Amino acid sequence: MSLGIDDDQSDRNGAGSDLITGAISVAAILMFVGTGSSVLSKTLRHYLEGAAPADRTLVIALLLNVALILFGWRRHRGLSNEVRIRAAAEERAQMLASRDPLTGFLNRRSLAEEGAAMFVRGQKRRKAMAMMIIDLDHFKTVNDMHGHAVGDALLRAAAGEIAGAMPPIALTARLGGDEFACAFLFDPQHPDLIERIAEKLIAQMAQPFEAEGLRLHVSCSVGIARSDFDCQSVDSLMRSADIAMYVAKKSGRNRYAWFDHSMERELQTRNELENGLRTAIPRGEIVPYFEQQIDLQTGKLIGFEVLARWEHPTRGLISPELFIPIAEETGLIADMSLSLMHQAFTAARDWDSSLSLSVNISPVQLRDAWLAQKIIKVLTETRFPASRLEVEITESSLFDNLSLAQSIVGSLKNQGVRLALDDFGTGYSSLAHLRALPFDRIKIDKSFVISLNESADSAAIVNAIVSLGESLNLPITAEGVEDEAIAARLKALGCAKAQGWHYGKPLSVSGARRLLAERRLLVQAPVEPTIESELPVQRPDRMAG
Ligand code: C2E
Ligand code: CA
Ligand code: CA
């Protein structure tokens, strides 16, 4: 194994001097054999029989020979020691290079190598090869909440479970992060064996783990591909199992999915969305829609929540549930969100000054130390008053870097922007989170509100959140109000604001303008030129009322 240029150099130097040492030792031994016996016998005879002494020079040469032989022998011992140490180091380096140090599993590269050999073996023996990609669910949350030491302990424990669930001949690998892979050969007539392994593994992983004195709950999603149906190489087997794992995750986690070719088309669609999104933002295809927010006690319109929509040139309107996660993963969310705000604030310039706007801020955006400045810049450019803006964040925003989130929120609040905690009830719903940031209101997640009158559990949760809000002096907004009965119940509970389809579906810019014109909530816009901005602005055709 090559350990870099310096080692090559020292290797060459070492080999050269070894050769010289060897040659000297051999010459010394030859000389010793040639001269040694005559000098020794002469010297012995000189002492025993008083014969003439051996030639002095020869004696000195002989002693020198002995010294050289001793030197050669020591050097030989030194060298064999060195070789042993070097071999051990090389073995260790090989181990480190092929194994994941945390779990001792193979790493991605060596799985590909050993997997390829297994693939060939399988073909020879008429066996099929199964590849399982295993990804832990919610690992990131555990890591963020409890730190890396706990995260590492959990990964080691998970690796133990995986190794225990697999057949003894299986290759087990950690591909990175919380993603693992296992491969083994099986009888193609009996794929049920693989399902049993996957089921056992999933059941085991759903049990709480004990790590660093904590009880941790994770689960895993597994994607499985088989060589005889799906793929002609280990690479494509891994890719297929990965796609299947992604599908298992998307359909609710804590489950397995076999790969099938329709999944590939779905992935292709996702990739198309991702590529499309890159051009959609500068082209102004991502536009704000406006959902009415109502004061429950008076029934008056008090503002709108801004919701993203993708007006796709060929596919029509695309839901944010489809493209926001992609925008978050690709980092496009930051530009997208600022562009939406720019469009929404510009559109709202001639709306009645009593109307507020609520915008959704993704947890990804709260990792940007300049977020507050960027939002304030958009407010300044569009001359929209900060006091009429509310930002909505979810509890998951508080895990990543709370102190950064606190400083961003602090800057925004200094300007008069208000802060709402969105989707309360779905995540951790922790009092500590409510205290971590200076929230101005709580939004109850729509899943509880929609079922308020049908499910006793939902009613109990809504009740509890309303009383929590009262005791913390935080007004409550309920979203997902779909009918009058829900609105009446919320009003009786003392909920402050409501939004939902009962009041209307989200409206486009022109739809919102039409509604406001009917209600005489449009004012004469000041005819000042707006400051030029690099961000895409509303296209003129959408500005028309
Ligand atoms: P959210 O912030 O919880 O927004 C409320 C969602 O509930 C909206 O879905 C809205 O259309 C829907 N909704 C409102 N009233 C009702 C109702 O009565 N019944 C039902 N069943 N649904 C109702 P939408 O617009 O599809 O947005 C989905 C999610 O996408 C949002 O959930 C938010 O998390 C995200 N999102 C939307 N726009 C943005 C954005 O600009 N930035 C970020 N970061 N996320 C956004
Ligand atoms: Ca929201
Ligand atoms: Ca919400």
Side-chain angles (χ1 to χ4, degrees):
M1 200 182 126
S2 160
L3 296 172
I5 293 170
D6 290 347
D7 282 274
D8 281 0
Q9 193 68 42
S10 70
D11 267 0
R12 251 175 272 134
N13 291 345
S17 61
D18 291 350
L19 216 66
I20 295 169
T21 319
I24 292 174
S25 303
V26 170
I29 291 168
L30 287 177
M31 269 178 75
F32 183 81
V33 173
T35 58
S37 58
S38 83
V39 173
L40 273 179
S41 62
K42 266 192 185 161
T43 310
L44 276 176
R45 262 189 281 130
H46 166 70
Y47 283 111
L48 297 175
E49 300 163 14
D55 185 342
R56 255 178 84 86
T57 331
L58 272 181
V59 175
I60 291 170
L62 182 72
L63 289 177
L64 206 62
N65 260 350
V66 173
L68 280 175
I69 290 168
L70 280 175
F71 164 74
W73 180 68
R74 281 199 47 169
R75 178 76 185 139
H76 168 76
R77 275 206 11 185
L79 275 178
S80 28
N81 244 347
E82 214 171 279
V83 166
R84 234 192 348 267
I85 292 169
R86 199 174 263 242
E90 266 177 26
E91 198 178 317
R92 200 174 134 65
Q94 191 120 35
M95 241 276 286
L96 288 177
S98 67
R99 298 261 161 191
D100 162 47
L102 185 69
T103 58
F105 276 15
L106 298 173
N107 58 24
R108 185 183 283 274
R109 202 199 55 198
S110 40
L111 174 70
E113 284 168 9
E114 296 200 19
M118 180 180 264
F119 196 89
V120 173
R121 252 191 342 267
Q123 281 177 329
K124 278 191 195 142
R125 289 201 260 145
R126 293 178 190 282
K127 295 255 183 174
M129 181 166 162
M131 177 71 72
M132 285 190 183
I133 302 275
I134 302 152
D135 194 276
L136 303 191
D137 303 325
H138 308 297
F139 173 73
K140 191 179 175 317
T141 314
V142 172
N143 216 25
D144 290 348
M145 281 184 79
H146 302 294
H148 291 287
V150 172
D152 284 357
L154 179 61
L155 287 173
R156 273 193 297 267
E161 291 297 344
I162 292 170
M166 293 301 141
I169 36 90
L171 299 175
T172 50
R174 178 169 168 230
L175 303 180
D178 58 347
E179 199 176 15
F180 297 88
C182 300
F184 51 89
L185 298 178
F186 71 102
D187 177 352
Q189 306 302 319
H190 292 288
D192 49 310
L193 164 85
I194 293 164
E195 288 177 2
R196 278 207 302 280
I197 292 175
E199 278 159 10
K200 183 173 143 203
L201 175 66
I202 287 165
Q204 278 301 115
M205 298 284 265
Q207 301 297 315
F209 282 94
E210 304 276 343
E212 311 262 310
L214 295 163
R215 263 169 89 82
L216 303 168
H217 295 266
V218 282
S219 53
C220 71
S221 302
V222 181
I224 318 170
R226 52 189 289 182
S227 58
D228 52 338
F229 280 13
D230 307 325
C231 315
Q232 286 314 307
S233 72
V234 173
D235 278 352
S236 70
L237 200 58
M238 279 177 78
R239 209 179 90 84
S240 301
D242 201 39
I243 294 173
M245 186 278 291
Y246 184 73
V247 171
K249 273 234 178 258
K250 269 212 339 203
S251 35
R253 303 163 204 263
N254 191 29
R255 65 194 64 207
Y256 70 86
W258 282 99
F259 171 78
D260 79 61
H261 289 281
S262 70
M263 293 175 176
E264 219 159 16
R265 287 191 286 279
E266 228 172 85
L267 187 78
Q268 205 178 343
T269 312
R270 196 205 117 95
N271 289 343
E272 279 166 19
L273 280 182
E274 183 179 325
N275 292 334
L277 203 56
R278 290 180 197 280
T279 49
I281 301 168
R283 283 188 192 150
E285 286 169 18
I286 313 286
V287 296
Y289 267 55
F290 298 87
E291 180 166 308
Q292 299 175 56
Q293 293 181 320
I294 308 293
D295 180 324
L296 263 176
Q297 304 307 320
T298 62
K300 264 181 61 182
L301 173 69
I302 46 176
F304 295 92
E305 176 173 357
V306 178
L307 295 162
R309 296 287 181 272
W310 184 351
E311 289 183 341
H312 196 280
T314 53
R315 291 170 184 231
L317 213 58
I318 302 180
S319 151
E321 315 255 28
L322 268 180
F323 66 84
I324 296 280
I326 301 176
E328 286 178 332
E329 276 167 40
T330 51
L332 291 167
I333 188 80
D335 281 353
M336 196 203 83
S337 171
L338 292 173
S339 154
L340 274 173
M341 278 187 244
H342 204 283
Q343 298 176 62
F345 301 164
T346 306
R349 284 185 70 215
D350 62 347
W351 296 1
D352 191 89
S353 62
S354 66
L355 297 170
S356 62
L357 287 181
S358 299
V359 299
N360 292 286
I361 297 294
S362 146
V364 176
Q365 292 175 271
L366 283 164
R367 293 183 206 142
D368 173 8
W370 293 100
L371 178 66
Q373 284 70 15
K374 288 175 183 170
I375 295 177
I376 292 162
K377 182 167 175 257
V378 180
L379 285 169
T380 317
E381 283 168 355
T382 55
R383 306 204 175 153
F384 189 77
S387 59
R388 283 169 62 192
L389 176 64
E390 183 169 83
V391 298
E392 298 186 2
I393 65 173
T394 55
E395 273 182 297
S396 51
S397 301
L398 308 181
F399 297 144
D400 246 13
N401 188 341
L402 181 60
S403 56
L404 182 56
Q406 281 167 331
S407 110
I408 292 170
V409 163
S411 307
L412 287 172
K413 290 211 62 164
N414 277 341
Q415 300 289 318
V417 175
R418 276 161 298 140
L419 180 69
L421 184 54
D422 202 3
D423 299 345
F424 197 67
T426 52
Y428 287 81
S429 310
S430 111
L431 202 59
H433 291 157
L434 273 171
R435 294 222 170 97
L437 288 180
F439 289 106
D440 297 292
R441 67 171 53 247
I442 305 173
K443 293 189 76 175
I444 309 182
D445 188 67
K446 62 175 177 291
S447 54
F448 308 113
V449 177
I450 289 170
S451 53
L452 177 63
N453 284 327
E454 275 96 57
S455 146
D457 284 353
S458 297
I461 289 168
V462 172
N463 252 320
I465 297 177
V466 171
S467 12
L468 182 69
E470 266 167 16
S471 61
L472 292 173
N473 209 13
L474 289 175
I476 306 280
T477 298
E479 58 181 24
V481 178
E482 292 193 343
D483 56 44
E484 179 52 39
I486 298 175
R489 178 98 178 250
L490 288 167
K491 190 175 167 186
L493 278 172
C495 203
K497 276 206 236 174
Q499 57 183 93
W501 296 347
H502 177 52
Y503 307 104
K505 293 260 173 100
L507 299 163
S508 64
V509 170
S510 51
R513 268 185 77 82
R514 220 171 0 249
L515 175 94
L516 295 173
E518 278 166 16
R519 299 199 186 169
R520 306 202 172 283
L521 286 171
L522 286 185
V523 292
Q524 206 61 50
V527 257
E528 297 160 62
T530 48
I531 298 167
E532 269 307 311
S533 134
E534 337 64 274
L535 288 161
V537 284
Q538 185 68 44
R539 288 210 300 249
D541 54 338
R542 292 209 188 85
M543 288 294 288

